[in-house]
Amino acid sequence: ELKNTVSHLVQPREMTRLLEMVLKRTQGLQLSKVTSLGSQPFEGEVGAPPPRNVAQQRPVNLFKHGLTIEFSGDFSGTLEYLHQLEGLERSFFWDSIDYEVRDYPTSVTTISVFTVSMNESWIGV
C-alpha cells in the first residue's frame, strides 16, 4: 500500500535531471546552481509515529530526499517554469520558494523541493 502511495512521486535519482530539463525549455531563465539537501529519515507529520508495516508490526523506513535549485530570469519565465513543474506527470513536495528582484526585470528564484522513497540512496547533484 505504501509503495502505491509513493509511486506517483519523482524518484530521487530523477529529480535533478527533471528540474533542469524543464528549466532549459523555459525561455528566459538561466540556471545558477543546484544543491542536494541529501536524504534523511522521513517522519511525516510532526508528532506522528512513523508508519508501520501492519503485517509485521515494525516501522517502515521512509526517506526524504531534498534539493534546492536557483535560477535567474524575469517574472513571466519564472511563473511559466512553476506552472510546468506543477503540470508534470510525476510529482514532488514543495518546501519553499524565494523570489527576489535584484535588477528589474531580472530576479533570482530559489526553490526547495523533496520527494519521498523507501530507499535511503540519493544519487547526487
Side-chain angles (χ1 to χ4, degrees), residues 17-18 29 32 38 63 70 85 88 92-94 101 120:
R17 182 186 56 79
L18 183 65
L29 299 182
S32 303
F63 298 92
E70 180 182 287
L85 291 179
L88 292 171
F92 47 82
F93 298 100
W94 296 82
V101 177
E120 186 175 13

Side-chain angles (χ1 to χ4, degrees), residues 28-96:
L29 299 182
Q30 178 133 17
L31 179 65
S32 303
K33 67 181 173 180
V34 178
T35 307
S36 168
L37 302 175
S39 62
Q40 60 191 32
F42 180 72
E43 311 231 350
E45 295 179 7
V46 176
R52 293 192 163 279
N53 178 323
V54 177
Q56 298 172 347
Q57 289 300 309
R58 62 184 168 98
V60 174
N61 292 327
L62 283 179
F63 298 92
K64 177 180 177 179
H65 306 275
L67 161 56
T68 298
I69 185 168
E70 180 182 287
F71 57 91
S72 59
D74 62 15
F75 180 77
S76 63
T78 300
L79 189 58
E80 176 62 25
Y81 179 64
L82 298 176
H83 281 303
Q84 286 186 48
L85 291 179
E86 281 291 305
L88 292 171
E89 187 176 313
R90 311 276 299 199
S91 61
F92 47 82
F93 298 100
W94 296 82
D95 258 347
S96 64

